[in-house]
Amino acid sequence: MGTTASQLGKDMLSEYQELTFLTKQEILLAHKRFTELLTKDEKDLPNTRVSEERILTLPELKSNPFRKRICHVFSTSEYKDGSLTFEDFLDLLSAFSDSATLEIKSHYAFRIFDFDDDGTLDCGDLEKLVNCLTGETDDTRLTTEEMRQLISNILEESDIDKDGTVNLSEFQHVISRSPDFVSSFKIVL
Amino acid sequence: MPPKRKNEIAISVEDVGMEVDVVSDSGSEDEARRRAKNRRVKPQRKAKRVSSDEEDEEDEAPRKRGRKKKAKPRDSDEDDEEDKRTKEESDEESEEDRGKTKKRGADEESLSEGEMAALKEQVEEKKKLIATLRNKPWRMKRRLVLLKEAQEFVETFEGALGKGKGRKLYAYKVMMAKKVIKFKRDFENFKTACIPWERKIKEVESHFGSSVASYFIFLRWMYGLNMVLFGLMFGLVVLPEILMGLPYGSIPRKTVPREEQDTAMDFSVLNDFGGYCKYSFLFYGYFNNERRIGLLQFRLPLSYLLVGVGIFGYSLMVVIRTMARNSNEGGDGAEEGEFTFSWKMFTSWDYLIGNPETADNKYASITTSFKESIVDEQENQKDENIHLRRFLRVLANFLITCSLGGSGYLIYFVVKRSQDFAKMEKENLSWLEKNEVEVVMSLLGLVCPPLFETIAELENYHPRIALKWQLGRIFALFLGNLYTFLFALFDEVNEKLETEKSIRNATIWALEQYYANYSSHFNTTDVPPPNVQPADVIRGPCWENAVGIGFVKLIVSDMQVTYLTILVGDFLRAVIVRFLNYCWCWDLEAGFPSYGEFDISGNVLGLIFNQGMIWMGAFYAPGLVGLNVLRLLSSMYYQCWAVMCCNVPHERVFKASRSNNFYMGLLLLVLFLSLLPVVYTIMTLSPSFDCGPFSGQEKMYDVVMETIEQDLPSFIANIFTYATNPGLIMPAVLLMVLALYYLNAVSKGYQQANIDLKRKMKMVSMSVLLHVPSFSNISRVQDQTNDCAVYSWTL
């Protein structure tokens, strides 16, 4: 169960096709790009894990403000260090692919935005989210007052049960209405 | 009935793939396996039996995982099973698995009808699981395990099911189904591999965001459409005429007239699409009006007419299908202001951006949009001077209407002048005078939009509304120009029709003279046809050729102007800014000229109108569609290069997704508007008497009538006569109007139901909140129709 050496077995390929939203070419391309990240000796081992820093050198992820969260969410490592195996990488690409359904995308979007991994989006999560979106520099950040206003507006709109947090179904309710979400939540190699 | 409800919920959760347990799925293989087994054996819609309660182990072994439809003794088992979600059960299951494989051999013969049916259901369910596995947000490992188990199960038991009657057929069916699935998957892969320019567009997307890339995706879609139209036109009209029709020079319409022959090969003449160009398959006049040609007895005039109309039909079908697909993806369509902030937060980042500079721009634009919307929310309507604003808006609209009217008149004037020029000798005219019409139209298309934008600053609208007004005005400009051009062209056509009458009379008179002379001279009634060279025969003015040539020249000049604009406006500007910056007083890159941004809406509108002109002109110039294919191909490469080389990402990066259907809607409108002139000419104007596939007919559509009368069996002619009876058409139209009204009412009803349900949901959630401290299990069942989304909340 996993990739051996630098070739992807035919039966594994067809299983991956069955289990992800990717086409055969996309899986092969993903395999190629993934093995480029490995060092020489790692290439022969099955099921290698690639560390987060190396994953983040991929140009598709480098400029993304949520890159660390993405690695963290899709990682299956016990140490929670954001390292990915090839199958995690395929999971990532499948969720971000063009043909993935709204349910899968919104599920993963919620987990990416949930910075403290507690299953809900509370004020701390939302604040970190806004800071990610407005960039790292000081002149683009919002003031505390603006931040407070923004978060209260958001909670007013999406928090239906008024518990001060946005849970998965409220999030999915908001997201399913948006016409932009599916087309913007896409990463293509 | 709590258990049943739980079942339903369980079903829908399965379909949707949400985690019912709030604990996120990380963790060990064992835990995953356990949960996997639990979920896997959870029933979709039917009851499940627990193994341990069974008495007859032997016979019922295959039935242990069976699904029985609502048999009464099962209900208690259902309850038990639902409550027991423990390791015990899973262990029993795994034992059961092993036991089953051992017992399989012994039990196969004892399968009865009912057991077979149960097993079949199970197998079907496993197949469904395999199909929906990719929609579950679980880890790949777990999914692989599940997939393998499900596949094994299906394989082993499918074989078992095949025993007994009809086994061979069943096995065959199964094998065919597998082959079909594999074939479909390979075909999908092949289709994706065939899509051209994928890398190029992806590169543009990562640098400029999805809005600029949407233009190129639209261009690629247009290219595909034009390829099909080209295939139709070429394969069914041009190729038969070339292969099976008479060659060049054999009949008058296919030969250059004697007086033009010395200049026929000159570049200037060819550039104006005269000379050899005019008398080639590119234009209407070349085609012969023989009813049937060649070995295959191909009916060319009929094919010409049907393809001409079929082009519109196909385009209409494709545009509407794309619009329907786009609107399906567009979400449930909440109102504009319902979730502004949440959407800004959750959906504003474009994950395709792979370039740090674009990312910085995106950050800046997101920050600005946050700040703007916060401020918008806080401040109330400013107490501005409403009267001044209204006056300014009226003034702006008046100015713009004036300029639209002015441009229309200018075009009319210029076309009239060109008709006068056409009567004069060609050598006395300058290049400008010869190409006045096209130059004027292209210049208007270049100059007016920025003019409109400057005037629109008086109006002081919100940017999004201002953009819509701008697009509407540019649309009106292009439309007005095109239709004025058409009207002027029609005047020319009518003039030509007059000349044609006189020439036709002259020709008939000359022929009669010849017959009279011959029979009187040789004293015989059997007169051979006059022996005249095709190049010397008197020709009519052939108005269809004039129209076709007019359109071709317009499109060629439009293309030249576009390319030139890109070269000068973007490339030269970028070169100047880059290299003069070293020796200039102020910073050219940050200040005045700087690098250009890609004008998405201008380019998309240009593309739409170009397509409109192609649709109008294709009937009169079959070669036009081929020309357009070449144009789109070169445009793709040229503009991709230009955008990557000379443009910078927009400062305000905005999404194009919702406007996708807007541009499709415009395309649809342009399609109808370009259909009108063509259908009008087919129905009302009479074709030229000596050129084209309809020469000699009273009206162009007479070909169809002729074919119906002569070639088809007589009862079809009767059917047509009945079908075109107004007494039948009026009720049909009435029925369609009523159907439209009914569908409209139904749609309104759904919208109202949606609003009511939303309100109920809010009320329910409030009441739930009061009764229960925490609130974790939710589910959602989505209706099939696009308009309704039904939400059900449970504990």
Side-chain angles (χ1 to χ4, degrees):
Chain A
M1 230 197 305
T3 61
T4 53
S6 42
Q7 277 292 68
L8 201 51
K10 201 158 174 235
D11 49 342
M12 288 310 295
L13 186 60
S14 75
E15 281 184 2
Y16 289 146
Q17 274 192 299
E18 196 67 54
L19 290 175
T20 62
F21 290 102
L22 305 170
T23 63
K24 189 164 98 168
Q25 294 96 331
E26 288 170 348
I27 297 178
L28 290 171
L29 179 62
H31 185 71
K32 179 165 147 244
R33 295 289 294 275
F34 191 76
T35 41
E36 280 167 11
L37 292 175
L38 301 174
T39 60
K40 236 178 174 335
D41 17 314
E42 277 177 341
K43 280 194 185 162
D44 299 323
L45 304 172
N47 260 348
T48 29
R49 246 169 214 296
V50 177
S51 65
E52 200 179 17
E53 308 91 58
R54 272 189 280 169
I55 296 277
L56 293 183
T57 58
L58 285 172
E60 287 84 5
L61 288 179
K62 205 161 44 160
S63 317
N64 198 312
F66 302 111
R67 51 190 181 272
K68 294 215 169 78
R69 281 299 304 166
I70 292 176
C71 284
H72 183 89
V73 162
F74 285 98
S75 160
T76 49
S77 124
E78 300 104 45
Y79 309 108
K80 309 264 184 252
D81 58 0
S83 54
L84 300 179
T85 63
F86 178 62
E87 288 177 353
D88 299 336
F89 191 56
L90 278 186
D91 267 338
L92 194 159
L93 289 175
S94 170
F96 277 101
S97 81
D98 209 2
S99 20
T101 56
L102 180 67
E103 289 88 13
I104 278 276
K105 284 189 193 248
S106 53
H107 177 98
Y108 279 112
F110 183 76
R111 290 183 50 197
I112 289 172
F113 294 150
D114 188 6
F115 282 82
D116 48 11
D117 286 324
D118 62 354
T120 59
L121 301 178
D122 54 14
C123 290
D125 291 330
L126 293 175
E127 196 171 321
K128 285 202 203 106
L129 182 57
V130 172
N131 282 333
C132 271
L133 282 174
T134 53
E136 314 296 312
T137 58
D138 274 331
D139 48 343
T140 51
R141 271 179 199 265
L142 299 182
T143 65
T144 343
E145 181 55 37
E146 287 168 339
M147 180 75 78
R148 196 193 53 80
Q149 178 76 29
L150 183 61
I151 292 183
S152 74
N153 286 338
I154 290 170
L155 286 176
E156 201 182 299
E157 280 173 359
S158 7
D159 188 11
I160 300 181
D161 57 3
K162 304 291 175 225
D163 61 353
T165 64
V166 181
N167 59 22
L168 178 59
S169 38
E170 288 162 353
F171 180 78
Q172 285 186 320
H173 177 218
V174 171
I175 285 298
S176 69
R177 299 297 215 229
S178 161
D180 297 334
F181 176 66
V182 175
S183 53
S184 69
F185 200 74
K186 232 196 296 192
I187 292 182
V188 177
L189 277 186
Chain B
M1 286 171 274
K4 203 160 192 185
R5 246 168 126 203
K6 254 197 210 160
N7 262 350
E8 273 174 17
I9 283 129
I11 300 157
S12 39
V13 164
E14 283 285 283
D15 286 342
V16 163
M18 280 170 54
E19 298 275 17
V20 173
D21 312 302
V22 175
V23 176
S24 52
D25 66 305
S26 52
S28 60
E29 269 291 291
D30 289 333
E31 198 187 281
R33 233 175 232 271
R34 176 172 66 82
R35 255 190 266 154
K37 279 230 163 82
N38 285 339
R39 281 226 181 75
R40 182 165 39 103
V41 303
K42 201 184 298 183
Q44 290 280 333
R45 258 177 207 182
K46 295 151 192 141
K48 190 179 180 322
R49 309 189 49 160
V50 175
S51 51
S52 53
D53 291 343
E54 280 308 302
E55 289 150 84
D56 305 326
E57 293 249 48
E58 285 282 335
D59 289 338
E60 315 252 315
R63 238 193 287 172
K64 270 180 197 170
R65 290 231 233 125
R67 310 203 181 278
K68 294 277 181 175
K69 288 198 200 258
K70 283 122 195 168
K72 281 208 188 117
R74 319 284 181 248
D75 275 333
S76 52
D77 293 340
E78 222 182 294
D79 284 341
D80 292 345
E81 186 272 330
E82 288 304 305
D83 295 336
K84 272 198 238 171
R85 236 181 262 159
T86 57
K87 256 197 171 116
E88 223 176 19
E89 190 191 77
S90 71
D91 286 344
E92 280 167 13
E93 302 270 0
S94 40
E95 279 172 17
E96 181 193 348
D97 271 348
R98 276 176 251 127
K100 201 187 311 263
T101 30
K102 277 185 230 149
K103 289 181 193 162
R104 208 192 337 137
D107 285 341
E108 274 165 4
E109 288 81 22
S110 63
L111 291 178
S112 68
E113 279 294 316
E115 287 159 356
M116 285 260 282
L119 208 53
K120 221 178 245 183
E121 280 168 37
Q122 256 182 292
V123 169
E124 288 307 311
E125 196 233 299
K126 282 279 167 254
K127 284 193 193 155
K128 186 176 173 196
L129 175 71
I130 294 176
T132 55
L133 253 184
R134 57 171 71 115
N135 207 19
K136 316 271 193 227
W138 302 328
R139 286 283 158 261
M140 182 72 84
K141 275 203 179 86
R142 185 206 281 189
R143 281 189 272 160
L144 270 172
V145 164
L146 278 180
L147 179 72
K148 284 204 166 73
E149 285 173 357
Q151 278 176 340
E152 272 170 30
F153 181 81
V154 166
E155 269 175 43
T156 48
F157 279 96
E158 257 179 346
L161 276 177
K163 301 279 185 242
K165 332 173 198 171
R167 123 171 73 130
K168 279 215 173 73
L169 184 64
Y170 184 74
Y172 178 71
K173 271 200 297 189
V174 161
M175 190 192 71
M176 285 312 293
K178 271 195 218 163
K179 279 206 165 29
V180 162
I181 290 177
K182 183 168 191 314
F183 174 73
K184 266 201 262 191
R185 205 197 299 161
D186 287 339
F187 186 63
E188 283 296 325
N189 283 346
F190 173 71
K191 270 205 299 190
T192 331
C194 270
I195 299 179
W197 304 314
E198 196 64 36
R199 302 257 92 210
K200 235 186 237 300
I201 293 183
K202 193 233 152 197
E203 218 184 307
V204 171
E205 218 160 14
S206 82
H207 272 87
F208 293 91
S210 55
S211 49
V212 169
S214 72
Y215 166 73
F216 288 101
I217 293 176
F218 189 53
L219 181 60
R220 183 174 64 185
W221 182 85
M222 283 289 219
Y223 174 75
L225 174 67
N226 275 288
M227 278 297 267
V228 175
L229 296 183
F230 171 70
L232 273 179
M233 193 55 127
F234 210 69
L236 291 176
V237 172
V238 177
L239 268 185
E241 181 69 27
I242 294 179
L243 293 178
M244 299 191 279
L246 300 168
Y248 172 82
S250 51
I251 46 175
R253 67 187 65 181
K254 299 198 184 202
T255 331
V256 179
R258 187 74 61 187
E259 52 272 13
E260 291 179 26
Q261 267 182 0
D262 0 325
T263 54
M265 210 42 187
D266 288 354
F267 180 72
S268 59
V269 169
L270 283 181
N271 213 22
D272 275 344
F273 296 98
Y276 283 117
C277 252
K278 188 164 157 189
Y279 298 97
S280 74
F281 64 83
L282 291 177
F283 292 103
Y284 173 96
Y286 184 80
F287 294 86
N288 201 5
N289 70 333
E290 253 183 77
R291 271 199 82 234
R292 286 188 252 205
I293 51 176
L295 273 176
L296 300 172
Q297 296 295 297
F298 189 78
R299 295 179 176 75
L300 188 75
L302 182 68
S303 151
Y304 194 100
L305 187 67
L306 289 181
V307 167
V309 175
I311 279 181
F312 287 104
Y314 176 75
S315 310
L316 183 67
M317 199 180 73
V318 167
V319 170
I320 291 197
R321 193 176 61 180
T322 317
M323 278 181 84
R325 213 184 298 150
N326 280 348
S327 74
N328 271 349
E329 285 173 12
D332 285 341
E335 299 104 45
E336 187 73 21
E338 201 179 334
F339 292 118
T340 348
F341 287 99
S342 313
W343 286 349
K344 277 201 170 66
M345 276 276 276
F346 299 133
T347 66
S348 59
W349 183 261
D350 192 354
Y351 287 73
L352 285 163
I353 291 179
N355 184 14
E357 189 188 325
T358 322
D360 288 337
N361 272 352
K362 188 75 172 153
Y363 290 139
S365 86
I366 289 180
T367 316
T368 325
S369 96
F370 274 146
K371 291 194 176 172
E372 268 177 14
S373 37
I374 294 174
V375 164
D376 265 350
E377 182 82 1
Q378 279 176 349
E379 89 183 13
N380 288 325
Q381 287 288 341
K382 265 200 203 129
D383 205 19
E384 261 183 45
N385 194 349
I386 298 186
H387 298 293
L388 180 66
R389 198 154 19 132
R390 267 197 214 140
F391 170 71
L392 283 177
R393 283 183 185 167
V394 167
L395 179 67
N397 277 324
F398 174 71
L399 284 174
I400 287 178
T401 328
C402 280
S403 41
L404 281 175
S407 87
Y409 176 70
L410 186 63
I411 291 178
Y412 190 78
F413 172 72
V414 161
V415 173
K416 278 279 178 266
R417 241 164 57 126
S418 82
Q419 285 167 12
D420 297 334
F421 285 150
K423 296 196 181 103
M424 291 162 44
E425 285 298 319
K426 288 255 163 67
E427 295 83 47
N428 302 343
L429 302 172
S430 67
W431 175 86
L432 188 63
E433 282 167 341
K434 273 195 252 185
N435 294 309
E436 217 173 17
V437 179
E438 294 82 34
V439 168
V440 164
M441 281 189 77
S442 314
L443 276 181
L444 277 175
L446 266 182
V447 163
C448 285
L451 179 70
F452 291 164
E453 239 180 279
T454 358
I455 297 181
E457 306 221 336
L458 281 176
E459 290 180 332
N460 202 11
Y461 277 127
H462 186 276
R464 210 182 310 148
I465 302 182
L467 181 68
K468 285 206 176 122
W469 275 96
Q470 175 73 356
L471 284 175
R473 284 172 185 145
I474 298 180
F475 186 77
L477 173 77
F478 279 152
L479 204 63
N481 288 356
L482 203 55
Y483 263 68
T484 324
F485 175 74
L486 267 180
F487 285 138
L489 216 57
F490 269 156
D491 280 349
E492 197 179 324
V493 166
N494 283 331
E495 244 182 66
K496 284 214 156 75
L497 277 173
E498 294 296 322
T499 8
E500 188 186 308
K501 278 202 193 109
S502 59
I503 292 186
R504 187 176 182 191
N505 287 338
T507 330
I508 295 179
W509 182 84
L511 200 61
E512 279 177 4
Q513 277 283 320
Y514 167 76
Y515 279 156
N517 279 345
Y518 197 91
S519 58
S520 71
H521 194 85
F522 286 107
N523 215 10
T524 160
T525 46
D526 187 15
V527 185
N531 187 16
V532 188
Q533 284 289 332
D536 293 324
V537 172
I538 310 173
R539 306 289 188 81
C542 202
W543 62 267
E544 294 99 342
N545 260 0
V547 172
I549 291 178
F551 273 111
V552 173
K553 278 165 74 172
L554 190 63
I555 286 169
V556 167
S557 86
D558 183 61
M559 182 168 94
Q560 287 167 340
V561 167
T562 318
Y563 287 6
L564 215 63
T565 321
I566 293 179
L567 199 61
V568 170
D570 281 340
F571 183 63
L572 253 151
R573 173 175 168 183
V575 163
I576 288 176
V577 167
R578 167 69 75 87
F579 291 114
L580 272 190
N581 208 15
Y582 296 125
C583 51
W584 204 261
C585 0
W586 71 85
D587 189 0
L588 286 173
E589 279 181 7
F592 161 55
S594 77
Y595 298 107
E597 287 179 354
F598 188 77
D599 177 18
I600 304 172
S601 43
N603 273 306
V604 173
L605 278 181
L607 202 59
I608 290 179
F609 274 98
N610 179 63
Q611 189 61 36
M613 290 195 279
I614 298 288
W615 276 323
M616 273 199 240
F619 189 75
Y620 298 106
L624 194 55
V625 192
L627 194 69
N628 199 37
V629 167
L630 286 174
R631 175 202 196 268
L632 287 175
L633 192 63
S634 59
S635 193
M636 176 57 124
Y637 287 107
Y638 185 59
Q639 283 188 304
C640 265
W641 165 78
V643 88
M644 293 298 289
C645 165
C646 329
N647 289 108
V648 286
H650 283 108
E651 273 191 28
R652 304 206 53 159
V653 187
F654 60 93
K655 297 270 174 46
S657 61
R658 214 185 303 194
S659 28
N660 225 355
N661 244 7
F662 174 65
Y663 289 131
M664 279 297 165
L666 274 184
L667 192 64
L668 192 65
L669 188 61
V670 165
L671 175 60
F672 275 121
L673 291 171
S674 40
L675 177 64
L676 291 177
V678 177
V679 170
Y680 176 77
T681 49
I682 293 180
M683 292 298 177
T684 26
L685 294 180
S686 52
S688 302
F689 75 96
D690 68 342
C691 69
F694 307 114
S695 58
Q697 313 273 359
E698 274 297 312
K699 290 273 188 308
M700 290 188 192
Y701 60 81
D702 283 344
V703 193
V704 178
M705 314 293 264
E706 221 185 295
T707 318
I708 295 178
E709 279 165 28
Q710 295 183 9
D711 294 334
L712 297 176
S714 54
F715 71 89
I716 294 190
N718 283 341
I719 293 178
F720 268 103
T721 331
Y722 292 146
T724 50
N725 190 355
L728 201 62
I729 292 185
M730 288 300 286
V733 169
L734 203 62
L735 190 66
M736 279 197 285
V737 169
L738 287 176
L740 264 173
Y741 175 74
Y742 169 72
L743 286 172
N744 197 21
V746 164
S747 149
K748 280 209 174 65
Y750 279 144
Q751 278 175 3
Q752 188 59 36
N754 208 4
I755 295 175
D756 287 340
L757 283 164
K758 270 193 235 177
R759 221 182 305 139
K760 268 196 195 137
M761 177 177 68
K762 287 212 162 120
M763 278 172 19
V764 165
S765 71
M766 286 304 192
S767 70
V768 159
L769 193 62
L770 293 175
H771 293 303
V772 175
S774 79
F775 178 60
S776 51
N777 288 350
I778 331 136
S779 78
R780 180 171 80 138
V781 172
Q782 188 144 21
D783 215 324
Q784 285 307 310
T785 62
N786 290 332
D787 297 338
C788 262
V790 176
Y791 288 79
S792 59
W793 300 71
T794 67
L795 290 172

